Short mmCIF file of all heavy atoms in Angstrom, two decimals:
data_model
loop_
_atom_site.label_atom_id
_atom_site.label_comp_id
_atom_site.label_asym_id
_atom_site.label_seq_id
_atom_site.Cartn_x
_atom_site.Cartn_y
_atom_site.Cartn_z
N SER A 13 85.19 128.21 167.19
CA SER A 13 85.44 129.08 168.18
C SER A 13 86.45 128.43 169.25
O SER A 13 87.11 129.20 170.06
CB SER A 13 84.15 129.42 169.06
OG SER A 13 83.57 128.21 169.55
N THR A 25 82.47 116.80 167.02
CA THR A 25 81.59 115.76 167.62
C THR A 25 80.55 115.37 166.71
O THR A 25 79.92 114.34 166.95
CB THR A 25 81.09 116.22 169.01
OG1 THR A 25 80.34 117.36 168.84
CG2 THR A 25 82.23 116.52 169.95
N GLU A 40 70.16 108.68 150.74
CA GLU A 40 71.66 108.69 150.90
C GLU A 40 72.03 108.16 152.34
O GLU A 40 73.05 107.56 152.47
CB GLU A 40 72.13 110.20 150.82
CG GLU A 40 71.87 110.72 149.42
CD GLU A 40 70.51 111.56 149.35
OE1 GLU A 40 70.18 112.00 150.51
OE2 GLU A 40 70.01 111.71 148.37
N ILE A 123 81.75 123.46 147.17
CA ILE A 123 82.02 122.09 147.01
C ILE A 123 80.90 121.40 146.44
O ILE A 123 80.98 120.49 145.53
CB ILE A 123 82.46 121.51 148.43
CG1 ILE A 123 83.85 122.12 148.89
CG2 ILE A 123 82.56 120.03 148.39
CD1 ILE A 123 84.07 121.70 150.28
N SER A 185 78.30 104.79 134.35
CA SER A 185 77.86 104.55 133.00
C SER A 185 76.87 105.59 132.59
O SER A 185 76.41 105.57 131.49
CB SER A 185 77.13 103.22 132.96
OG SER A 185 76.08 103.17 133.84
N VAL A 219 89.55 137.51 148.46
CA VAL A 219 89.72 136.16 149.25
C VAL A 219 90.67 135.26 148.57
O VAL A 219 90.76 134.15 149.09
CB VAL A 219 88.30 135.67 149.57
CG1 VAL A 219 87.53 136.44 150.26
CG2 VAL A 219 87.68 135.27 148.27
N PHE A 221 93.78 135.19 148.31
CA PHE A 221 95.11 134.87 149.12
C PHE A 221 94.87 134.71 150.51
O PHE A 221 95.78 135.06 151.35
CB PHE A 221 96.03 136.12 148.81
CG PHE A 221 96.23 136.44 147.45
CD1 PHE A 221 95.50 137.33 146.62
CD2 PHE A 221 97.26 135.62 146.74
CE1 PHE A 221 95.80 137.59 145.27
CE2 PHE A 221 97.41 135.86 145.32
CZ PHE A 221 96.85 136.79 144.70
N ARG A 281 113.24 157.40 142.00
CA ARG A 281 114.75 157.42 142.56
C ARG A 281 115.48 158.42 141.96
O ARG A 281 116.54 158.96 142.55
CB ARG A 281 115.16 156.04 142.36
CG ARG A 281 114.64 155.04 143.40
CD ARG A 281 115.46 153.60 143.14
NE ARG A 281 116.90 153.86 143.39
CZ ARG A 281 117.71 152.82 143.25
NH1 ARG A 281 117.36 151.75 142.68
NH2 ARG A 281 119.06 153.14 143.48
N VAL A 309 100.65 132.66 143.80
CA VAL A 309 99.86 132.16 142.81
C VAL A 309 100.71 131.20 141.88
O VAL A 309 100.18 130.10 141.56
CB VAL A 309 99.51 133.41 141.81
CG1 VAL A 309 98.91 132.85 140.50
CG2 VAL A 309 98.51 134.31 142.55
N GLN A 500 108.69 117.90 86.91
CA GLN A 500 109.58 116.84 86.26
C GLN A 500 110.37 115.95 87.29
O GLN A 500 110.71 114.87 86.94
CB GLN A 500 110.47 117.48 85.22
CG GLN A 500 109.72 118.26 84.09
CD GLN A 500 110.68 119.14 83.21
OE1 GLN A 500 111.77 119.25 83.55
NE2 GLN A 500 110.10 119.48 82.06
N GLY A 519 98.69 130.30 94.65
CA GLY A 519 99.52 130.76 93.50
C GLY A 519 98.70 131.11 92.28
O GLY A 519 99.13 130.99 91.23
N ARG A 557 90.65 125.39 82.82
CA ARG A 557 89.47 124.47 83.39
C ARG A 557 89.23 124.86 84.80
O ARG A 557 88.03 125.07 85.21
CB ARG A 557 89.88 123.03 83.33
CG ARG A 557 88.82 122.08 83.72
CD ARG A 557 89.26 120.88 84.42
NE ARG A 557 89.77 121.22 85.73
CZ ARG A 557 89.14 121.35 86.87
NH1 ARG A 557 87.79 121.26 86.77
NH2 ARG A 557 89.68 121.63 87.98
N SER A 679 80.97 125.08 59.94
CA SER A 679 82.31 124.32 59.78
C SER A 679 82.20 122.92 60.17
O SER A 679 82.72 122.03 59.45
CB SER A 679 83.32 125.02 60.84
OG SER A 679 84.53 124.39 60.79
N ARG A 680 81.43 122.48 61.13
CA ARG A 680 81.24 121.02 61.52
C ARG A 680 80.45 120.35 60.35
O ARG A 680 80.89 119.25 59.99
CB ARG A 680 80.45 121.02 62.78
CG ARG A 680 80.16 119.58 63.21
CD ARG A 680 78.96 119.43 64.06
NE ARG A 680 77.72 120.05 63.49
CZ ARG A 680 76.59 120.21 64.05
NH1 ARG A 680 76.44 119.99 65.32
NH2 ARG A 680 75.49 120.71 63.40
N THR A 716 90.63 105.53 58.97
CA THR A 716 90.83 106.95 59.40
C THR A 716 89.48 107.67 59.38
O THR A 716 89.17 108.45 60.35
CB THR A 716 91.93 107.69 58.63
OG1 THR A 716 93.10 106.85 58.78
CG2 THR A 716 92.07 108.97 59.06
N SER A 775 63.51 109.79 68.74
CA SER A 775 62.28 109.13 68.15
C SER A 775 61.07 109.97 68.50
O SER A 775 60.09 110.02 67.65
CB SER A 775 62.19 107.79 68.55
OG SER A 775 62.01 107.64 70.12
N SER A 809 88.82 91.32 69.17
CA SER A 809 88.40 92.62 69.42
C SER A 809 87.06 92.96 68.73
O SER A 809 86.28 93.86 69.24
CB SER A 809 89.53 93.58 68.78
OG SER A 809 89.66 93.30 67.40
N PHE A 966 72.98 82.43 99.14
CA PHE A 966 71.56 82.92 98.63
C PHE A 966 70.71 83.14 99.90
O PHE A 966 69.80 84.04 99.73
CB PHE A 966 71.11 81.73 97.70
CG PHE A 966 71.80 81.67 96.39
CD1 PHE A 966 71.46 80.61 95.49
CD2 PHE A 966 72.61 82.64 96.00
CE1 PHE A 966 72.13 80.56 94.33
CE2 PHE A 966 73.10 82.76 94.70
CZ PHE A 966 72.97 81.65 93.86
N GLY A 971 66.77 89.35 103.55
CA GLY A 971 66.95 89.92 104.89
C GLY A 971 65.63 90.16 105.71
O GLY A 971 65.42 89.54 106.80
N TYR A 1031 53.96 69.38 104.35
CA TYR A 1031 54.02 69.24 102.88
C TYR A 1031 55.02 68.09 102.62
O TYR A 1031 54.78 67.36 101.66
CB TYR A 1031 54.40 70.57 102.18
CG TYR A 1031 54.33 70.56 100.68
CD1 TYR A 1031 53.07 70.65 100.00
CD2 TYR A 1031 55.34 70.52 99.83
CE1 TYR A 1031 52.95 70.64 98.73
CE2 TYR A 1031 55.28 70.50 98.51
CZ TYR A 1031 54.07 70.60 97.91
OH TYR A 1031 53.96 70.52 96.58
N PRO A 1111 56.64 62.09 119.47
CA PRO A 1111 56.42 60.81 120.12
C PRO A 1111 57.64 60.24 120.66
O PRO A 1111 58.79 60.70 120.39
CB PRO A 1111 55.77 60.04 118.96
CG PRO A 1111 55.32 61.01 117.98
CD PRO A 1111 56.26 62.15 118.11
N GLU A 1132 78.74 68.66 107.68
CA GLU A 1132 78.73 68.76 109.16
C GLU A 1132 78.59 67.43 109.76
O GLU A 1132 78.97 67.40 110.98
CB GLU A 1132 77.60 69.79 109.53
CG GLU A 1132 77.79 71.15 109.20
CD GLU A 1132 77.25 71.38 107.76
OE1 GLU A 1132 76.92 70.45 107.10
OE2 GLU A 1132 77.28 72.53 107.30
N LEU A 1145 58.40 57.76 107.59
CA LEU A 1145 57.81 59.04 107.72
C LEU A 1145 56.45 59.10 106.80
O LEU A 1145 56.53 58.63 105.70
CB LEU A 1145 58.74 60.16 107.07
CG LEU A 1145 59.99 60.25 108.04
CD1 LEU A 1145 60.97 61.31 107.33
CD2 LEU A 1145 59.75 60.59 109.49
N SER A 1155 52.71 69.00 114.49
CA SER A 1155 52.69 69.52 113.20
C SER A 1155 51.29 70.02 112.70
O SER A 1155 50.34 69.47 113.27
CB SER A 1155 53.30 68.51 112.18
OG SER A 1155 52.44 67.39 112.03
#
Side-chain angles (χ1 to χ4, degrees):
S13 63
T25 58
E40 304 90 25
I123 293 173
S185 61
V219 296
F221 302 98
R281 284 185 59 185
V309 172
Q500 292 175 346
R557 188 213 66 83
S679 176
R680 179 202 59 188
T716 301
S775 58
S809 60
F966 286 165
Y1031 193 73
E1132 292 84 355
L1145 298 178
S1155 62

